[in-house]
Amino acid sequence: MTTPQPAPEMPAWITWPIRAIALIVVFPFRLLWELAVLVKRFVLVPVGRALGWLMRTFLLAPLLWLVRQILQWVLLPIWHALRWTAAALVTGVAWVLRMLLRHLLRPVAMAVVAVLVLLGRWVLLPVGRFVYNWVLAPLGRGCAWLLIALYRWVLTPLGQAIVWASQASYRWILRPAGLAVVWLIRAIGLGIGWTALAAYRWILRPIGLAVAWSVLATYRWILRPIGLAIGWASRVIYRFVLRPIGIAVAFTWRYTFGALFRGIAVTGRWLRDEILRPAGTVVRAALGLRR
């Protein structure tokens, strides 16, 4: 490993202006910073602590004592008085309601129930029995007889007629019509199938064979020879034209522009190592900077 070379001494014409600028610009700001630190340590911090003690002693403590006394001697007695008043009011209302229920509402309700029971036993029950025996029962028997007669002499013959009509319609109309439709569809399907088979056999298949033969002949006698000719021409052009041109271009680049670019790169590295880097070292040493 090579030992690092000591930084060269800065000339006086660079050192003294830098020191003068530092004395004029940096030193006043440093003094102001130290003065601010002293003011904070010996003025602001003690004053803040004293103000905090004064606020706790003469403001917060009396205020908390006043709030505690108001809660204890004003709000708490008012709360107890309101709670006792509400409890007494609820108790009185409950006693009044209980007395009303026991001495007024319950006897009235028992009397109403007794009247309703007596009314149902001696009025409603006989009336209901009479209505059932002489009105509802005859009416129900009449409705039942009417329904039975309607079912026997109207609905049953009508249903039998509908069943006979349905069977006759199926046997003499729907079944022959269905057989005719099936025969017609079968005939149409056979005709379509025969037409499709004939079209395939005498039209589509010959056309397909002709198209396939045309495609095969085109590929065999036109496209394949053209492709072979293009491939042969491409190989000849590459071998006898493009490759010699590429070799000539590479040779020209290597011994003209390539050599020029390599010379420029060598010159740039020499400038960096022999001029710019030492000059940067001198400037950093003059400004008091370190890497």
Side-chain angles (χ1 to χ4, degrees):
M1 298 177 61
T2 59
T3 58
Q5 297 294 331
E9 296 183 356
M10 292 182 296
W13 64 272
I14 296 177
T15 305
W16 285 105
I18 293 174
R19 292 178 179 176
I21 292 172
L23 182 63
I24 294 172
V25 178
V26 178
F27 184 69
F29 285 101
R30 183 68 182 180
L31 287 178
L32 290 175
W33 175 258
E34 295 295 336
L35 180 62
V37 171
L38 292 176
V39 169
K40 175 187 175 183
R41 181 178 299 174
F42 295 104
V43 177
L44 297 179
V45 173
V47 170
R49 291 177 180 174
L51 290 176
W53 180 82
L54 289 174
M55 289 183 65
R56 289 194 303 270
T57 304
F58 296 101
L59 182 61
L60 294 179
L63 186 62
L64 292 175
W65 180 83
L66 180 61
V67 171
R68 190 183 303 114
Q69 298 301 319
I70 290 173
L71 289 175
Q72 184 174 358
W73 301 105
V74 177
L75 297 180
L76 193 61
I78 292 174
W79 165 251
H80 288 304
L82 291 175
R83 187 176 63 180
W84 182 85
T85 303
L89 183 61
V90 170
T91 304
V93 171
W95 181 83
V96 171
L97 292 177
R98 188 166 56 251
M99 292 296 102
L100 287 175
L101 178 64
R102 181 179 299 175
H103 299 288
L104 180 62
L105 297 179
R106 184 180 294 174
V108 170
M110 294 178 64
V112 170
V113 170
V115 169
L116 291 177
V117 170
L118 293 176
L119 183 64
R121 179 178 296 177
W122 300 105
V123 177
L124 297 179
L125 187 60
V127 171
R129 188 176 298 162
F130 174 81
V131 170
Y132 174 76
N133 292 328
W134 298 101
V135 178
L136 297 180
L139 185 62
R141 286 193 291 268
C143 291
W145 180 87
L146 182 62
L147 292 175
I148 292 173
L150 182 64
Y151 171 76
R152 180 177 298 176
W153 304 108
V154 177
L155 296 179
T156 300
L158 183 61
Q160 292 176 355
I162 291 172
V163 170
W164 180 85
S166 300
Q167 292 177 354
S169 299
Y170 170 75
R171 181 176 299 176
W172 303 108
I173 298 174
L174 297 179
R175 187 170 179 275
L179 293 176
V181 170
V182 169
W183 180 85
L184 181 60
I185 293 173
R186 183 172 178 274
I188 293 172
L190 291 175
I192 292 172
W194 181 86
T195 304
L197 182 61
Y200 168 74
R201 181 176 296 175
W202 303 108
I203 298 174
L204 297 179
R205 187 170 180 274
I207 291 174
L209 292 175
V211 171
W213 181 84
S214 300
V215 171
L216 182 61
T218 302
Y219 169 75
R220 181 176 295 175
W221 304 108
I222 298 175
L223 297 179
R224 188 170 180 272
I226 292 174
L228 293 175
I230 291 173
W232 178 83
S234 299
R235 288 194 297 272
V236 169
I237 291 171
Y238 171 76
R239 182 177 297 175
F240 297 103
V241 179
L242 297 180
R243 189 169 180 272
I245 291 173
I247 293 172
V249 170
F251 179 81
T252 303
W253 174 265
R254 178 177 297 176
Y255 292 103
T256 57
F257 295 102
L260 178 61
F261 288 155
R262 286 194 294 272
I264 293 172
V266 171
T267 304
R269 287 195 295 270
W270 180 82
L271 287 173
R272 183 193 61 189
D273 297 334
E274 299 299 331
I275 296 175
L276 297 178
R277 186 173 291 170
T281 303
V282 171
V283 172
R284 284 194 299 271
L287 296 178
L289 302 174
R290 295 177 178 271
R291 295 188 63 180

